[in-house]
Amino acid sequence: MTTPLALPDEVQVVNVGLPMFADAVRAQGRPVQHVDWRIPADGDLDAVRALSNLYGDAGAAIDEANTEVVRRLNDGVPQLVDVSTFGEAVPGVEGRLILHSGPVLPYAEHADPLQRSMRAAVVAEGWAADVAEAEKLLQSGEVSLDAANHHDAVVPMASAVGPSQPALVVENREGGTRAFSSLNQGPGEVAWFGRDTDAAIARLKFLADTAGPSVKQIIAETGQLDILAIASQGITMGDDLHMRTQAATNLLTRTWLPQITALPDAARVPFGQYLAGNHLFFLNLAMAAAKSLQLWAHQVEGSSIVTHMARNGTTFGIKLANDDAWYITDAPPVGDAMYYSGYGPDTSAKDIGDSAVLELTGMGGPAAGNSAAVAAFLGGAMSDAAAATESFQAICAGASTRFTLPAMGFIGTPLGVDVRKVVETGITPKVTTGILHVNSGIGQVGAGVATAPVSCFSDALKALAARVA
């Protein structure tokens, strides 16, 4: 005798994979627990094989190396020790050489904003009388180009710097590394926003003649500056230290105020005005500090942690620890954006700058969860900002004890982007950044969040698997 089939009176569902099935159950008023599962590596069989090796036989050694990388990123104490010039302090800067953000490209292949910045830099160096002459020098190769990252330096947005530009000198004594960045040019008609006007060139000359020597004098009087001690305070006050650095800049200005008031008359007023109007002044300091830690992390063998991430408006590249090869793909557009009136995606340049070094060091996107300013770009609610931090938690190997987020229960910001987790989950770093006009030379037209392309991470993963096989 067959027992009649009886359906249960109560149903509780666990749904794995496609969320539409969970939505259908939920619409019928029944409890459902959705598991956000997806095919590892989006079904790329070569990547799945690499993941099997890197989590399997090689996994224990990689995890040990990653622990050391996270320790170095967390424990290093970068100090601003001096302000020099790129020509005097930065290794390999000789002759007519311009350093730029992102991976290396021939001049003709660089994005329009970066070409304009290069022309402004050439004129500011005195190598050309005007931007038309600078264009000829750059096209002919009489002025050489190289990535700032190749010289232990990082520069934000469409920055291009020559040997006379001030160089922030940052030492990480624990790791024996030294990194460099330029002085932040400030808002408005400036070269790092892709402008090559007379005003933009004048700002570069002001940095070389007035702002750089002023900061050098301040550091000589105050002694070294613990950059990330100020950064950690800024994050608790709502900075992400990438899109928003107001709090850290204000804290630094207060720290330096006695020395600023003691500057010579010819420098005090213009430097004070420049600093008062530049809410992103701290950005370059944070970048140089992050770079000094990444240089230390890069020395660790057998790690799957990303130690370089840079964009030039044309290409996007990463490096893994102890691997000097760039893994490069096309630069992505900047999404989740807020534009100035009259501008939008069609008028926007692609993602640009070395400032993504911050996302690799617990700042920027990992710190979004405590920043109302970043939340405005991600849906408007603090829960949206928290989701950005949580996306980094899914792909990072550890957490910072230096940077904590009060709005998320004082958790540490995610630290150490693991290429295995990126490729396995398909979740890539989200970089908070400004947006430049694609070709008009008018400068910044908005700000938003750029999602890193997964292909370069997949290439790096497969190369790592081949090395440890």
Side-chain angles (χ1 to χ4, degrees):
M1 181 176 178
T2 303
T3 303
L5 179 65
L7 295 176
D9 294 329
E10 298 289 334
V11 176
Q12 296 181 354
V13 178
V14 175
N15 180 70
V16 179
L18 293 175
M20 68 177 67
F21 294 117
D23 294 340
V25 174
R26 200 173 290 116
Q28 298 176 63
R30 305 314 303 161
V32 58
Q33 180 65 50
H34 176 65
V35 178
D36 185 15
W37 181 87
R38 64 195 73 188
I39 299 172
D42 199 29
D44 181 338
L45 294 181
D46 289 337
V48 170
R49 280 189 286 269
L51 287 167
S52 297
N53 179 26
L54 297 174
Y55 278 124
D57 293 341
I62 289 174
D63 289 342
E64 183 178 354
N66 288 353
T67 297
E68 174 59 15
V69 167
V70 171
R71 184 192 73 80
R72 294 185 181 197
L73 297 177
N74 189 58
D75 293 354
V77 184
Q79 305 275 349
L80 176 65
V81 297
D82 193 13
V83 175
S84 183
T85 66
F86 275 79
E88 292 175 352
V90 179
V93 177
E94 299 174 350
R96 291 187 170 188
L97 175 66
I98 296 292
L99 301 185
H100 60 80
S101 56
V104 173
L105 282 175
Y107 175 72
E109 296 180 24
H110 276 289
D112 179 82
L114 196 43
Q115 289 182 339
R116 291 175 186 272
S117 185
M118 291 170 179
R119 293 196 290 266
V122 169
V123 176
E125 291 297 323
W127 301 335
D130 53 33
V131 293
E133 185 180 345
E135 173 76 7
K136 293 177 181 178
L137 293 175
L138 288 160
Q139 285 187 350
S140 69
E142 292 181 59
V143 172
S144 301
L145 303 174
D146 200 4
N149 268 285
H150 292 172
H151 299 263
D152 299 342
V154 280
V155 291
M157 293 295 288
S159 292
V161 296
S164 74
Q165 280 297 293
L168 300 167
V169 181
V170 175
E171 289 186 355
N172 166 34
R173 293 195 177 99
E174 289 80 3
T177 56
R178 174 178 276 203
F180 310 90
S181 187
S182 54
L183 277 186
N184 190 274
Q185 296 172 28
E189 199 169 339
V190 284
W192 77 306
F193 285 171
R195 307 205 66 174
D196 57 0
T197 61
D198 290 345
I201 294 165
R203 176 57 59 91
L204 294 176
K205 292 179 179 179
F206 164 79
L207 295 178
D209 297 340
T210 302
S214 294
V215 179
K216 182 178 182 68
Q217 180 175 329
I218 290 168
I219 293 300
E221 294 177 7
T222 63
Q224 61 193 25
L225 174 76
D226 186 341
I227 297 170
L228 297 187
I230 292 179
S232 65
Q233 294 179 65
I235 285 176
T236 62
M237 296 166 69
D239 282 350
D240 73 324
L241 265 300
H242 193 166
M243 184 182 289
R244 183 188 191 271
T245 68
Q246 281 96 324
T249 297
N250 290 344
L251 289 168
L252 179 62
T253 302
R254 185 191 67 181
T255 300
W256 283 352
L257 192 57
Q259 289 72 36
I260 293 172
T261 60
L263 288 171
D265 292 344
R268 183 175 62 253
V269 172
F271 179 72
Q273 291 173 336
Y274 151 78
L275 193 58
N278 186 2
H279 65 275
L280 285 170
F281 180 81
F282 196 85
L283 173 67
N284 296 45
L285 287 165
M287 288 175 57
K291 181 64 175 178
S292 73
L293 296 179
Q294 292 296 338
L295 288 170
W296 191 21
H298 192 71
Q299 299 168 8
V300 178
E301 294 186 15
S303 170
S304 60
I305 301 297
V306 179
T307 57
H308 293 66
M309 191 159 66
R311 317 91 82 207
N312 56 31
T314 303
T315 59
F316 182 109
I318 67 168
K319 290 184 181 183
L320 298 187
N322 210 243
D323 180 2
D324 288 333
W326 281 102
Y327 300 94
I328 294 175
T329 189
D330 292 340
V334 181
D336 295 319
M338 295 178 67
Y339 294 100
Y340 301 162
S341 178
Y343 301 102
D346 293 342
T347 61
S348 300
K350 292 183 177 181
D351 191 25
I352 190 166
D354 292 335
S355 53
V357 70
L358 298 165
E359 270 72 15
L360 301 180
T361 323
M363 295 174 275
N370 198 62
S371 178
V374 176
F377 292 87
L378 298 172
M382 288 304 293
S383 59
D384 298 314
T389 293
E390 289 163 357
S391 74
F392 272 94
Q393 287 178 318
I395 59 174
C396 282
S400 174
T401 61
R402 176 167 24 216
F403 306 130
T404 59
L405 306 178
M408 298 183 70
F410 290 93
I411 65 167
T413 62
L415 197 60
V417 173
D418 186 341
V419 73
R420 297 177 302 177
K421 295 183 178 182
V422 171
V423 177
E424 178 189 6
T425 64
I427 299 170
T428 60
K430 292 182 179 294
V431 181
T432 54
T433 186
I435 304 173
L436 305 181
H437 197 281
V438 64
N439 57 19
S440 73
I442 65 169
Q444 187 173 10
V445 296
V449 180
T451 300
V454 73
S455 61
C456 54
F457 293 88
S458 182
D459 291 343
L461 175 95
K462 294 170 186 176
L464 175 62
R467 289 199 305 276
V468 302

